[in-house]
Amino acid sequence: MRTQVGIIGAGPAGLLLSHLLHLEGIESVILESRSRDYCEQRIRAGLLEQGSVDLLNATGLGERMRRESLVHDGIEICFRGQHRRIDIHELTGRQVSIYGQQEIVKDIIARRLADGGKILFEAQAREVGGFEGDKPFIRFEHNGSEQTLDCDYIAGCDGFHGISREAIPANLFKGYDRQYPFAWLGMLAAAPPTSPELIYCHHPEGFALFTMRSPTVSRLYLQVAVDEDAKNWSDDRIWSALQRRLGDHDGLKISMGKLSQIAVTPMRSFVTEPMRVGRMFLAGDSAHIVPPTGAKGMNLAIADVSVLARAFIAYYKKNRTDLFDSYSDTCMKRVWRAQHFSWWMTSMMHPTSSSDFDNERQIAELDAVTSSRAGSTFLAENYSGLPLAPWRD
């Protein structure tokens, strides 16, 4: 097999890149180790920045999103028995939208297949090579046989545990890593939203977050120990903790329903730099991950591929390579801004049992941020997302 751009991974980054390239007549093949059903059903992130929404709409992917997404003008922050609202739209003119990552994946897969795009599901990449020279290739296993995809360039969009980053010699990149001393217990609830907007809660027992996936499904999170086992949390224990942490603020009443997909997610920050080595480019979680407190993961992936698509278009349409050369530096400016914001939100919202000083400092910071227009604007600008550069001329 041969193509112009070989893409590893059928998550939002790989799928969107393939779609953007197709719109400019550039060929690609996507190799995905999981089944189509797995990709379309896996519950992941759900909050889209304004720029991400605008890009999906501008490229013909937003029809169902416009019908079904939940558009929010602000968020609620709770602490010390009160809740305060950050009016994102009033402060920035922007909004955020709730639309699950799996729904975006469904939309782009359907569009790519309708357009004749080539996505090979259950195609496990085994070897990535040739990218330091001029003959990149991906060896993969599909339908019980080993095959090779030759390409001009490789886009590694296969996530933190994928093969792409691992294929880069250790002396050619630097990894920045931070692990946090707590985790999130996440679950879905078959219950209507408790609130029309997200609720971030600082509580002496631990952080809690209320969000939603649809008018009938809520997504809930609780701060737990980093080594916590989800099996230790019965439905009664979960609802009791949520009632104490969220229900303690101005009489907030929590909508309850059947719980499912209960799992523990560690908190971690990671950055790979540079995001390009030779003819291979990393995008999305293969290059960086953030704690989910700031809702930046999927949005960073979308931002990466908008920059990368522009570079491929400049090369194939105008024989320019300067955007390849600047790809990593361009992405890194946004990545480190998002890392800072995610770290800041995480550090501010999660109490630590080991430090009364830090906990009181967090309360003072929350009070300052939510009572100051300047502080609220900083949060609102970063939460709703930095503007995206045009993905093509």
Side-chain angles (χ1 to χ4, degrees):
M1 295 178 62
R2 199 180 198 296
T3 191
Q4 291 174 300
V5 182
I7 301 172
I8 309 176
L15 289 166
L16 181 57
L17 177 61
S18 179
H19 175 67
L20 297 180
L21 296 180
H22 167 73
L23 294 179
E24 290 294 317
I26 300 169
E27 296 177 355
S28 67
V29 173
I30 301 175
L31 304 177
E32 169 55 51
S33 63
R34 303 281 192 168
S35 68
R36 177 178 179 179
D37 183 66
Y38 179 92
C39 294
E40 293 184 341
Q41 299 303 321
R42 187 182 183 189
I43 302 295
R44 297 289 300 275
L47 188 142
L48 291 170
E49 298 172 354
Q50 183 72 64
S52 298
V53 170
D54 293 344
L55 177 61
L56 294 173
N57 280 325
T59 56
L61 297 171
E63 181 180 353
R64 190 163 70 97
M65 177 183 66
R66 290 192 295 274
R67 293 197 311 267
E68 300 180 10
S69 65
L70 304 175
V71 180
H72 292 177
D73 289 336
I75 60 172
E76 298 272 355
I77 295 183
C78 299
F79 59 98
R80 288 275 166 90
Q82 56 185 307
H83 59 83
R84 298 182 181 177
R85 183 171 183 267
I86 305 291
D87 192 328
I88 293 172
H89 188 257
E90 191 274 329
L91 292 167
T92 68
R94 301 195 290 267
Q95 298 168 304
V96 296
S97 297
I98 301 297
Y99 191 65
Q101 175 173 313
Q102 76 278 7
E103 305 304 327
I104 293 173
V105 165
K106 290 177 190 175
D107 294 343
I108 308 180
I109 287 175
R111 178 63 180 270
R112 289 301 300 121
L113 295 179
D115 289 340
K118 189 167 290 187
I119 308 173
L120 299 184
F121 293 102
E122 298 180 89
Q124 179 67 59
R126 299 296 186 189
E127 182 184 359
V128 179
F131 56 86
E132 292 184 73
D134 59 0
K135 294 183 178 180
F137 65 85
I138 308 167
R139 291 204 174 95
F140 64 98
E141 187 176 318
H142 186 237
N143 291 333
S145 65
E146 184 175 284
Q147 302 180 46
T148 299
L149 175 64
D150 295 313
C151 44
D152 299 336
Y153 294 93
I154 298 171
C157 306
D158 49 342
F160 182 73
H161 298 289
I163 192 174
S164 299
R165 190 181 68 253
E166 294 180 358
I168 301 174
N171 64 313
L172 296 183
F173 75 95
K174 181 176 182 178
Y176 302 84
D177 195 5
R178 176 175 183 143
Q179 299 188 47
Y180 296 82
F182 42 76
W184 278 10
L185 179 74
M187 68 287 305
L188 288 176
T194 290
S195 164
E197 296 175 337
L198 275 69
I199 303 173
Y200 287 78
C201 176
H202 181 288
H203 189 272
E205 259 187 44
F207 169 76
L209 171 63
F210 161 80
T211 179
M212 66 289 288
R213 286 295 177 266
S214 75
T216 59
V217 178
S218 296
R219 184 74 161 154
L220 305 164
Y221 297 96
L222 291 166
Q223 177 184 345
V224 296
V226 71
D227 58 351
E228 186 60 83
D229 187 340
K231 295 178 181 177
N232 295 331
W233 288 79
S234 65
D235 287 11
D236 286 345
R237 185 183 179 191
I238 289 171
W239 286 120
S240 178
L242 286 166
Q243 292 286 0
R244 289 193 304 274
R245 299 186 195 185
L246 287 172
D248 190 31
H249 296 84
D250 290 347
L252 186 67
K253 294 186 180 299
I254 299 174
S255 297
M256 299 175 63
K258 181 178 175 57
L259 297 176
S260 63
Q261 299 194 29
I262 303 170
V264 174
T265 302
M267 299 288 101
R268 187 175 192 173
S269 299
F270 182 82
V271 176
T272 296
E273 192 171 3
M275 291 170 57
R276 175 214 179 175
V277 175
R279 288 177 172 248
M280 182 160 73
F281 301 84
L282 303 179
D285 284 0
S286 63
H288 41 71
I289 55 175
V290 293
T293 324
K296 293 296 160 217
M298 177 168 58
N299 293 291
L300 276 180
I302 291 172
D304 287 347
V305 298
S306 70
V307 176
L308 185 53
R310 186 181 181 91
F312 278 128
I313 294 166
Y315 173 72
Y316 283 109
K317 299 296 184 181
K318 301 178 181 178
N319 201 30
R320 289 172 50 191
T321 61
D322 57 308
L323 297 186
F324 285 156
D325 297 335
S326 63
Y327 168 71
S328 185
D329 288 342
T330 300
C331 290
M332 276 297 142
K333 292 177 182 178
R334 191 184 197 96
V335 167
W336 280 114
R337 282 284 299 273
Q339 288 287 359
H340 169 257
F341 178 70
S342 299
W343 165 86
W344 176 66
M345 285 283 287
T346 301
S347 301
M348 180 171 61
M349 295 302 311
H350 292 74
T352 59
S353 58
S354 61
S355 174
D356 290 338
F357 176 89
D358 281 342
N359 292 333
E360 291 300 321
R361 175 194 57 77
Q362 288 171 328
I363 295 298
E365 187 171 16
L366 286 164
D367 182 56
V369 168
T370 56
S371 62
S372 159
R373 185 175 180 86
S376 296
T377 300
F378 173 79
L379 191 154
E381 286 178 344
N382 285 275
Y383 194 87
S384 59
L386 304 174
L388 284 180
W391 66 277
R392 63 180 175 185
D393 292 334

